[in-house]
Amino acid sequence: MKKKLLGLMMGATLAIILTACGGGGNNSNENAGESVSDAEAIVNKSCISCHGENLEGRNGPALDKIGATLDKDEILDVIANGRPGMPKEIIKGDDAEKVAEWLAEKK
């Protein structure tokens, strides 16, 4: 019984970690019914666990003024290719485009 409970707890912990890092699902627009049309909603779903609820930074850097440093294409490159501590392709396709454009406006 203890082994089953321990296994269940470890599995739940792993699921939480993967979801927080964006590995828990597919964020592309190809997911009918689950696609996210609003950039802010996409960020809330995929980014705030590391970048903070107000993009003030947490485990990852602050993004609240990232548009002053990086343009849309540079932000899209970071989303696509990742950085040290940030996995690549957490957001894909049209969702990545929307988020990059939205973040580029943050100055």
Side-chain angles (χ1 to χ4, degrees):
M1 182 70 155
K2 288 182 183 180
K3 288 182 182 180
K4 288 182 182 181
L5 181 59
L6 181 60
L8 179 63
M9 290 176 62
M10 289 178 66
T13 301
L14 180 60
I16 290 168
I17 290 170
L18 288 175
T19 301
C21 293
N26 182 352
N27 294 326
S28 74
N29 282 332
E30 297 169 6
N31 250 356
E34 288 188 29
S35 67
V36 183
S37 61
D38 179 52
E40 191 171 0
I42 298 165
V43 168
N44 286 335
K45 181 179 177 183
S46 302
C47 306
I48 64 170
S49 63
C50 293
H51 294 287
E53 288 183 32
N54 298 310
L55 303 177
E56 74 279 6
R58 192 175 284 160
N59 298 333
L63 300 178
D64 56 347
K65 295 181 179 130
I66 194 66
T69 307
L70 301 176
D71 66 23
K72 177 188 171 194
D73 291 334
E74 292 169 322
I75 295 169
L76 195 54
D77 181 64
V78 172
I79 293 170
N81 297 308
R83 290 241 170 124
M86 179 180 160
K88 65 181 182 175
E89 297 182 334
I90 288 177
I91 306 167
K92 299 178 184 179
D94 289 340
D95 286 354
E97 289 276 344
K98 290 174 188 174
V99 169
E101 184 173 339
W102 184 75
L103 288 174
E105 295 173 1
K106 302 250 175 244
K107 298 182 185 203

